[in-house]
Amino acid sequence: MDTLVLNGIVNGLIVGGIYALIGMSLTLLYGVLRVVNFAHGEFVIGGSFLAYALFSNLGLAPLLALPVAALSFFALGWGAYYVLLPRLQKSDDPEIMSFLMMYGVSIALAAVMLLIFEADSRSIDYSFRPISMKVGPIYVSTARVVAFGITIAIALALTWFLFRTLPGKALRAAIMNREAIQIVGVDVVKLSAFAFALASAIAGATGVLVALVFPAFNPFSGAEYSIIGFIVVVLGGLGNPVGALLAGILYGLAEQLATVFLPQAMAPIIGFGILVAIILIRPSGLMGWRAQR
Amino acid sequence: MPPEAGAAPRSAERASADRIYYTLASIIGGVVGIYFLVVPVLDLNLAFHFYLMLWITMASAFNVAAGFSGYMPFGFVAFYGVGAFTTAILVKSLGFPVLLALPFSGAAGVILGLLFAPTLRLSGIYFAIVSLALAGICRLVISNMPQEITGGSFGLQLGSRAEPVHSFYVMMGVMLMALGVILWLSRSRLGKALRAVRDDAEAADMMGVNVTRVRLYGWLIAAFFPAVCGGVEAWYTNVVDTETAFNTLTTAKTVIYAVAGGLGTVTGPIVGSVVMVWLDELIWRQFPLLNLLILGVATVLLVLFLPRGIVGTLLRWRPEWRRYIP
Amino acid sequence: MSAAIEVHGLVKRFGGLTALDGVELEARPAEVLGIIGVNGAGKTTLMNCICGIYRADAGRVVIGGHDVTHRTPHEIAHHGVGRTFQIPRVFRKMSLIDNLLVPVLDRKEADHALIERAESMLEQMRLIELRHNFAEELSGGQQKLLEMARMLMPDPTVVMLDEPFAGVHPTLCRFMIERIEAMAADGKTVLLISHDLTSIYRLSRRVAALNEGRVIAMGGVDEIRGNPAVVEAYLGN
């Protein structure tokens, strides 16, 4: 097989895994809370910057930064939920209002990162030994392989959590029917806070992985990841974590293979185009079981 | 059919309410008009006031889409960018006088609106996201067009000797026109149809309202003004490039200023823009690096505590005033 | 006297579920046709098909001699059909007057004439004092009256009422019954869905009983009351 195409496939899987995690956490948030988290990309990049700060100031290896990011973002998400979201549920149009609010949060977060880290692109100068590995006929950087491994691990852990544990099942039940779950006695507020915290934690951890997989990031990269998150979520069906997993990988593959055959500048257009096409043609997504209004 | 006992006094009451409404509208329009008229004469900050008028117009047009029709186009900047480039290209490459180019910018906005019309059947969040994606596509398509047409990464220079005062007064004219159209819309039958479709499109359909056509008209009105704004601003700054013309911050500010004032009223976007632009200027003078942060925080606070905006909250508190306040 | 509305062989399926299985009925001017049936019998689906929300899979709907079977809702509205909903669908953020003006926005009459007609209608419904309030500020029963007034504004020939009495205070029910009688007296054809059999039997000249998507009996009130198939459908299963 053509080396370029093979590279495209391998990169597509690696990048797709990241997209899948972003999509899974975003779709979880939407499914349980009906909140479209416009700031999700900023959460991710926040994780990248956290890893960067820990590495530059404390010499902490990115792999160790991962649990730090996950835990701190979990706590932040929990707090943020209680500060921001309960009021929204009472408003006339919670979905649009939450969209607007998270719009504001994304601007604020980008501004904070801009103030702390300034606008330059950053990257983490951490090298694994060996620097790259041979996968079949091609070479892939070890950092990316490691990141991919972790990505798969997190994705599987999340899936296991959602389908095999009680709190996970409660989350899925909440996605399916928010009213019914209250009737059976579940504390929806706590569950929602948990969902927000979990999604934030995954986003933060994904940010660390982003730092390992992508060459650089800056405070404005968040917006791109938010858009990718939307694409993956819509492709996979709103509120469908497994759908997001598959859609993320698929989209990663599509994006990377597209760069093999098309000029670099065209790639984002493909992404936007897919999003528009899916929403107009089949809004419930490739796998969605939640039909549009 | 004999007139009911209450008909005559009700009719008189209606007439007096209308009188108050239009008097208030005239006063506001007059104050706004005269104030901006004398800004250059009194040598006040031209740039500040130019952009204030721009934001008032943008927020008002957004209000037509969001407040009257119920759509949140998060890709609103697409119309602005297309209008900016249309004027720039016509002036630079075809030698049009600016005043002739501006209506073409407006037309370009309307054409783009027609192109995007199929998205109008989407519900809230889907529409918002698609709108965002479509604006991204517009930006990328234009930045990938040949350098001779759209200037590549350097952008286009309009080449005309920039005459700020002329473009200032044209902006004022555009703003007053926008406000006039919106005042008309809010009292017209089309405006009522729009609001009915916003509240319950299916029910409106069953009441005999042609939902698709009504939505389209509202949408095209909303698309026209930001496009013209883009053209006037291109004239004012004399330069156009994809980064500034399609800047997502333009949409962000438009949405926030409109929401801050209150969607669904004519005065809301004016009040919101005035307050927020003034706040922005204040912050910029004291803490220039914090503008973006303040914008973000202000949005969050607005949504949490003043979701109906300044005018909207006032009307919630005193609903009887709805008939008198434009 | 020719029928104001005819439904012939109407079929509507949702995936594997057949909601309407060949409905046949007709109703004449100045008559109230009651429509009864257990939940899921297809009553609301029938109304939705007639007014165009659902597209029928087979059959015909004829209004005043015109075949309106696959027309859009607003076209059907222009043929003189009005309806209310089980759960009121008023325009929440519009005033009562504006709510009433929506169905007549395309009329040639001057604004003040339409407004006066709207006010007169609100007076009949005893809502005149609240005419400038937003519709969302009304109680449930008041919203049902508002819906009725809104429906009557364009002077429809066929009106369809879906459970008007559901969850409404008895005094208001009596008032609604008066209004419905007035509609029929005015020459309109009224299709009335209700579980309130007392009111149905009082108002209707004829009653159609629906079960599992089919009209299992249609006739005068006494006929239907005693019809064994109807009794079984309600009490059996």
Side-chain angles (χ1 to χ4, degrees):
Chain A
M1 201 189 285
D2 186 19
T3 319
L4 271 174
V5 173
L6 198 57
N7 254 311
I9 295 179
V10 171
N11 285 328
L13 287 172
I14 295 175
V15 162
I18 302 255
Y19 294 167
L21 281 184
I22 297 179
M24 285 173 89
S25 44
L26 188 58
T27 213
L28 194 66
L29 250 178
Y30 179 80
V32 176
L33 289 152
R34 295 288 182 268
V35 167
V36 180
N37 187 5
F38 204 88
H40 211 68
E42 275 75 22
F43 286 13
V44 171
I45 292 297
S48 312
F49 273 109
L50 180 64
Y52 172 82
L54 288 174
F55 180 73
S56 332
N57 298 321
L58 298 175
L60 196 67
L63 289 184
L64 293 173
L66 209 76
V68 176
L71 286 168
S72 42
F73 274 75
F74 187 88
L76 280 170
W78 189 276
Y81 173 80
Y82 279 107
V83 170
L84 296 176
L85 284 158
R87 281 188 83 104
L88 275 186
Q89 308 293 348
K90 297 182 212 130
S91 72
D92 282 338
D93 192 349
E95 281 197 5
I96 285 286
M97 280 292 131
S98 66
F99 196 61
L100 259 171
M101 185 175 75
M102 299 315 288
Y103 200 43
V105 171
S106 82
I107 295 177
L109 285 178
V112 166
M113 289 189 282
L114 195 63
L115 282 170
I116 302 178
F117 297 102
E118 295 181 3
D120 309 316
S121 283
R122 307 280 172 177
S123 54
I124 298 187
D125 252 330
Y126 183 84
S127 356
F128 288 84
R129 279 173 207 85
I131 283 224
S132 55
M133 296 166 61
K134 202 165 192 296
V135 174
I138 57 173
Y139 287 91
V140 189
S141 87
T142 315
R144 291 186 136 209
V145 175
V146 170
F148 183 65
I150 299 177
T151 305
I152 295 296
I154 298 180
L156 287 175
L158 182 63
T159 312
W160 174 84
F161 173 76
L162 286 172
F163 284 86
R164 292 275 182 212
T165 68
L166 211 51
K169 291 187 189 186
L171 282 176
R172 279 172 49 236
I175 294 177
M176 285 185 238
N177 195 328
R178 212 178 145 76
E179 283 78 33
I181 189 173
Q182 291 181 68
I183 297 176
V184 292
V186 174
D187 184 347
V188 166
V189 175
K190 254 221 191 113
L191 191 66
S192 303
F194 178 71
F196 200 92
L198 181 63
S200 308
I202 297 175
T206 311
V208 178
L209 296 171
V210 161
L212 288 174
V213 169
F214 293 100
F217 51 89
N218 64 65
F220 298 114
S221 310
E224 297 164 32
Y225 289 108
S226 291
I227 299 270
I228 291 174
F230 292 153
I231 294 174
V232 170
V233 164
V234 170
L235 259 177
L238 286 165
N240 186 344
V242 176
L245 176 57
L246 294 171
I249 306 238
L250 261 170
Y251 182 69
L253 280 167
E255 193 201 58
Q256 291 300 309
L257 284 171
T259 57
V260 173
F261 300 110
L262 295 167
Q264 180 75 0
M266 293 284 285
I269 297 186
I270 305 279
F272 288 136
I274 292 179
L275 181 60
V276 173
I278 293 280
I279 290 185
L280 283 175
I281 300 172
R282 197 185 149 83
S284 48
L286 296 176
M287 277 190 63
W289 37 262
R290 186 178 178 270
Q292 189 199 351
R293 166 178 86 110
Chain B
M1 188 188 224
E4 281 100 1
R10 280 202 299 268
S11 170
E13 185 226 4
R14 227 185 308 130
S16 100
D18 283 349
R19 256 199 308 274
I20 297 178
Y21 183 92
Y22 285 111
T23 310
L24 267 174
S26 313
I27 292 177
I28 295 174
V31 165
V32 166
I34 295 176
Y35 176 73
F36 285 108
L37 198 69
V38 302
V39 158
V41 175
L42 295 179
D43 212 12
L44 298 174
N45 188 337
L46 203 74
F48 173 77
H49 288 97
F50 177 85
Y51 282 101
L52 179 56
M53 290 193 293
L54 183 100
W55 290 118
I56 290 178
T57 313
M58 292 288 286
S60 297
F62 182 82
N63 185 27
V64 174
F68 288 13
S69 316
Y71 288 100
M72 281 263 179
F74 273 83
F76 203 54
V77 71
F79 300 121
Y80 179 88
V82 160
F85 270 94
T86 303
T87 292
I89 293 173
L90 288 178
V91 167
K92 174 166 186 208
S93 310
L94 296 178
F96 274 52
V98 180
L99 287 179
L100 187 59
L102 288 177
F104 280 90
S105 279
V110 169
I111 293 174
L112 197 67
L114 280 168
L115 271 170
F116 291 172
T119 62
L120 290 175
R121 61 179 164 83
L122 296 172
S123 68
I125 291 295
Y126 281 116
F127 177 81
I129 294 178
V130 164
S131 175
L132 195 64
L134 286 171
I137 293 179
C138 277
R139 175 173 53 86
L140 287 164
V141 165
I142 290 190
S143 50
N144 279 314
M145 279 168 85
Q147 184 123 349
E148 313 82 62
I149 304 182
T150 55
S153 45
F154 298 104
L156 288 173
Q157 309 265 40
L158 268 69
S160 60
R161 312 132 238 87
E163 287 139 339
V165 178
H166 291 192
S167 49
F168 181 91
Y169 280 124
V170 169
M171 185 75 245
M172 187 178 98
V174 172
M175 177 187 73
L176 290 175
M177 180 167 68
L179 291 177
V181 165
I182 286 154
L183 186 72
W184 165 80
L185 190 66
S186 73
R187 303 286 272 186
S188 72
R189 296 193 185 192
L190 176 60
K192 292 199 206 296
L194 269 172
R195 268 175 264 140
V197 170
R198 174 201 65 190
D199 280 354
D200 192 333
E202 209 171 53
D205 204 354
M206 282 182 270
M207 301 292 131
V209 174
N210 189 332
V211 172
T212 318
R213 204 189 302 163
V214 161
R215 275 184 170 152
L216 189 63
Y217 289 165
W219 179 242
L220 295 180
I221 293 176
F224 175 80
F225 288 105
V228 177
C229 283
V232 179
E233 207 255 359
W235 180 23
Y236 181 79
T237 56
N238 209 32
V239 72
V240 159
D241 69 86
T242 48
E243 283 312 306
T244 49
F246 287 95
N247 193 346
T248 48
L249 209 56
T250 306
T251 307
K253 287 185 175 178
T254 304
V255 173
I256 293 166
Y257 295 178
V259 170
L263 294 173
T265 60
V266 180
T267 46
I270 302 178
V271 170
S273 303
V274 168
V275 168
M276 296 299 289
V277 170
W278 176 81
L279 194 69
D280 190 56
E281 177 80 359
L282 210 69
I283 304 283
W284 185 78
R285 282 184 196 282
Q286 300 289 339
F287 315 105
L289 294 173
L290 291 185
N291 271 81
L292 207 56
L293 180 61
I294 301 289
L295 187 69
V297 172
T299 310
V300 175
L301 292 175
L302 266 172
V303 172
L304 282 177
F305 299 113
L306 216 59
R308 288 188 178 76
I310 297 171
V311 176
T313 308
L314 176 71
L315 290 178
R316 192 114 217 273
W317 176 57
R318 281 268 179 275
E320 331 70 84
W321 291 1
R322 268 186 219 129
R323 305 177 60 209
Y324 308 120
I325 303 211
Chain C
M1 194 188 290
S2 62
I5 173 171
E6 299 161 48
V7 175
H8 298 298
L10 205 61
V11 175
K12 179 63 188 167
R13 289 182 213 101
F14 296 103
L17 175 73
T18 303
L20 296 178
D21 197 8
V23 173
E24 286 286 332
L25 62 78
E26 40 82 39
R28 300 162 212 142
E31 110 165 295
V32 177
L33 177 69
I35 300 179
I36 62 174
V38 296
N39 285 331
K43 312 187 292 295
T44 300
T45 309
L46 175 63
M47 265 193 194
N48 285 343
C49 280
I50 293 175
C51 74
I53 302 180
Y54 293 158
R55 207 181 151 79
D57 293 313
R60 294 192 307 138
V61 176
V62 181
I63 310 253
H66 301 274
D67 188 334
V68 295
T69 312
H70 289 145
R71 294 252 189 264
T72 60
H74 74 263
E75 284 171 342
I76 295 179
H78 286 295
H79 277 278
V81 177
R83 75 167 283 183
T84 65
F85 299 87
Q86 219 167 324
I87 300 176
R89 292 176 75 162
V90 294
F91 300 120
R92 297 170 46 88
K93 296 203 184 304
M94 294 175 77
S95 70
L96 266 58
I97 295 251
D98 281 346
N99 261 272
L100 260 57
L101 290 176
V102 173
V104 292
L105 290 173
D106 55 353
R107 297 294 155 96
K108 300 274 187 295
E109 295 159 72
D111 284 355
H112 72 87
L114 292 174
I115 294 177
E116 270 157 34
R117 188 139 62 90
E119 287 178 350
S120 149
M121 195 76 76
L122 286 176
E123 240 181 344
Q124 278 177 43
M125 294 292 178
R126 301 187 189 157
L127 292 172
I128 189 68
E129 296 298 316
L130 301 167
R131 65 192 183 281
H132 296 304
N133 287 49
F134 273 8
E136 62 184 355
E137 293 160 18
L138 263 51
S139 71
Q142 288 171 322
Q143 286 186 356
K144 288 201 161 209
L145 286 176
L146 179 66
E147 260 203 329
M148 246 187 233
R150 183 182 65 181
M151 175 192 70
L152 292 171
M153 274 296 285
D155 201 21
T157 44
V158 176
V159 308
M160 304 195 291
L161 305 171
D162 195 345
E163 303 271 8
F165 311 116
V168 172
H169 193 273
T171 325
L172 203 52
C173 277
R174 278 195 286 278
F175 180 66
M176 276 188 183
I177 290 176
E178 280 171 38
R179 299 279 95 232
I180 296 174
E181 283 169 337
M183 288 178 211
D186 210 9
K188 300 192 192 305
T189 305
V190 180
L191 297 179
L192 176 63
I193 293 180
S194 183
H195 282 297
D196 182 352
L197 294 178
T198 322
S199 303
I200 284 258
Y201 289 151
R202 174 171 155 186
L203 280 168
S204 316
R205 184 184 302 167
R206 290 184 303 143
V207 175
L210 239 63
N211 195 40
E212 290 179 354
R214 242 179 263 121
V215 177
I216 57 173
M218 182 150 81
V221 169
D222 297 311
E223 227 184 290
I224 293 294
R225 250 191 188 141
N227 187 313
V230 175
V231 173
E232 194 202 318
Y234 258 96
L235 298 176
N237 298 335

